[in-house]
Amino acid sequence: MDYGLTLWELFQKRHLSRRNFMKACVTITGVLGLSPAKLTEVVQAAETRQLTPVIWLHGHECTGCDESFIRSQSPLASDIVLNMIALEYMDVLAAAAGETLEHHRDEVMDKYAGKYLLVFEGAVPLGDEGIFCTVGGKPIAEQLKAAAQGAAAIIENGSCAAWGGIQAANPNPTKSVAVSEVIRNKPIVKVPGCPPIPEVLAATIYHYVLFGQLPPLDSKGRPKQFFGNRIHDTCYRRPFFDSGMYVESFDDMGSKAGWCLYKVGCRGPEAYNSCGNMRWWNGLSYPIQAGAPCIACASNEFWDHDPFYQRLPTIAVPNTKATADKIGAIAAGATLAGVVAHGVLSVAQHARHKEKDKEED
């Protein structure tokens, strides 16, 4: 990738039309969750801001986050890598390997110190001096510290990087931790999930590339745009929850009818993510739509919150705590009260009309 290019200059170099450039800007605006009125600002940034070099390291992980990322549909992962960012180091997708690739990474880190974006995937094992995860003969913890030193900002990609993930599950024999427990003096954004939604990661990267800063974050360091709502709030099965209609087992009639999965372990009422509105594979589906309860894979310590198919003991409802069994009674009581109130109002209204008719006569 040639340094110093803007996105528009890169499109011109690739002989891509202005129309394609504008379509890319529209897509980026949507993915970032910005208002259509912000399109002008996105276009201006894409025309004037130089592309940010990106270094992508892999720690103690399964590469599932990469598998998710390369399936990004809006925009396509191929467009992101080839046309939208200056991805300078990522051992999974790189054409080079071994010493050549490691040498290139060191060159980028030296030449663009303080300017590149560091994406880190996986947990950081600290046990036994970090020997549980080594790259090129060096512990990944050591490589993380070296890369973070010159990074402008860091993205923790996936639940392992954000919280420690399965590697940090009890009893955590490798002493794996989140990136933020090793690096504390840099701007860090968490994009948790096992794996994270690919478009969420793409939007987080591109927000920094376009505007030179991380997106607005919540109290836990996650992008507000994508982690501001519970799965429960955007779930299409929510009406069944409100009506007290639950799946009791995966082979019952409620399961076949698409009722609420809370009683078979769904963590939607306490899980924050965008699965319900963004979904996966270009909006095709997500676990709840496929009949599987949410296991809150973007939450801290979710691997220790098993068994996954056992319901939460309590759930928050307005001004109280109630079990799932009581929700139906509350909903039924509210419905009955509504019917009674409607009946009383109807009778009163009818009486008023009769009184008015008599006065007119």
Side-chain angles (χ1 to χ4, degrees):
M1 179 76 70
D2 291 331
Y3 295 114
L5 294 179
T6 66
L7 181 62
W8 170 229
E9 290 170 341
L10 182 61
F11 267 59
Q12 290 177 303
K13 185 175 181 179
R14 299 283 170 80
H15 304 292
L16 297 172
S17 68
R18 180 71 179 181
R19 179 183 178 85
N20 285 331
F21 170 75
M22 292 301 296
K23 288 170 67 176
C25 289
V26 170
T27 299
I28 292 169
T29 303
V31 169
L32 294 181
L34 301 176
S35 164
K38 295 287 186 180
L39 176 60
T40 302
E41 294 180 30
V42 172
V43 172
Q44 182 179 8
E47 289 176 332
T48 58
R49 280 194 59 84
Q50 296 178 359
L51 297 178
T52 304
V54 177
I55 293 177
W56 192 317
L57 298 181
H58 294 78
H60 216 192
E61 45 88 36
C62 68
T63 319
C65 298
D66 287 325
E67 289 291 336
S68 172
F69 172 72
I70 63 177
R71 286 163 176 77
S72 175
Q73 295 290 301
S74 299
L76 289 170
S78 56
D79 286 338
I80 297 172
V81 172
L82 299 176
N83 299 318
M84 294 185 175
I85 65 174
L87 182 59
E88 294 301 328
Y89 178 91
M90 183 186 187
D91 48 15
V92 173
L93 299 180
E99 292 184 4
T100 302
L101 184 60
E102 302 301 306
H103 179 67
H104 177 69
R105 180 198 63 198
D106 293 341
E107 280 187 335
V108 173
M109 288 166 50
D110 290 340
K111 187 174 182 180
Y112 294 92
K115 298 181 180 179
Y116 61 83
L117 181 64
L118 175 61
V119 179
F120 194 92
E121 182 177 326
V124 187
L126 301 179
D128 293 336
E129 300 181 349
I131 198 66
F132 295 102
C133 181
T134 62
V135 178
K138 297 179 181 180
I140 193 63
E142 184 179 318
Q143 297 198 20
L144 168 61
K145 292 175 182 177
Q149 187 172 359
I154 301 172
I155 296 177
E156 295 175 328
N157 181 34
S159 290
C160 294
W163 316 117
I166 187 173
Q167 288 73 237
N170 288 327
N172 193 4
T174 63
K175 301 295 185 290
S176 290
V177 298
V179 171
S180 55
E181 294 189 43
V182 179
I183 308 299
R184 300 181 183 275
N185 60 346
K186 292 287 183 178
I188 297 179
V189 55
K190 297 178 182 292
V191 184
C194 191
I197 298 172
E199 287 80 8
V200 171
L201 175 63
T204 304
I205 292 174
Y206 220 72
H207 191 283
Y208 188 88
V209 170
L210 276 180
F211 301 112
Q213 60 185 11
L214 297 176
L217 306 179
D218 64 12
S219 60
K220 294 188 177 181
R222 304 169 299 191
K224 286 183 179 180
Q225 172 63 26
F226 304 109
F227 294 90
N229 292 314
R230 299 176 301 167
I231 299 294
H232 192 59
D233 299 326
T234 56
C235 182
Y236 73 99
R237 297 184 188 231
R238 177 66 182 269
F240 293 108
F241 171 87
D242 293 337
S243 300
M245 302 167 70
Y246 300 100
V247 174
E248 301 286 346
S249 64
F250 290 109
D251 59 351
D252 66 11
M253 292 303 295
S255 178
K256 296 176 182 178
W259 289 4
C260 178
L261 295 164
Y262 175 73
K263 282 192 176 183
V264 288
C266 186
R267 264 66 170 168
E270 66 174 18
Y272 288 81
N273 212 331
S274 292
C275 303
N277 48 3
M278 293 184 71
R279 309 192 181 188
W280 297 73
W281 196 252
N282 205 24
L284 178 64
S285 185
Y286 72 116
I288 290 175
Q289 187 174 343
C294 170
I295 61 174
C297 72
S299 302
N300 191 8
E301 300 178 343
F302 86 95
W303 277 106
D304 289 323
H305 294 166
D306 62 332
F308 291 135
Y309 300 122
Q310 178 176 310
R311 79 183 189 193
L312 300 172
T314 59
I315 184 172
V317 294
N319 303 318
T320 188
K321 279 272 191 174
T323 64
D325 297 317
K326 293 180 181 178
I327 296 293
I330 293 172
T335 301
L336 178 60
V339 170
V340 172
H342 177 72
V344 171
L345 290 173
S346 297
V347 170
Q349 188 176 20
H350 183 66
R352 283 198 300 270
H353 281 307
K354 287 186 68 175
E355 189 87 19
K356 188 175 180 181
D357 291 340
K358 287 181 179 179
E359 292 176 357
E360 291 177 353
D361 291 340

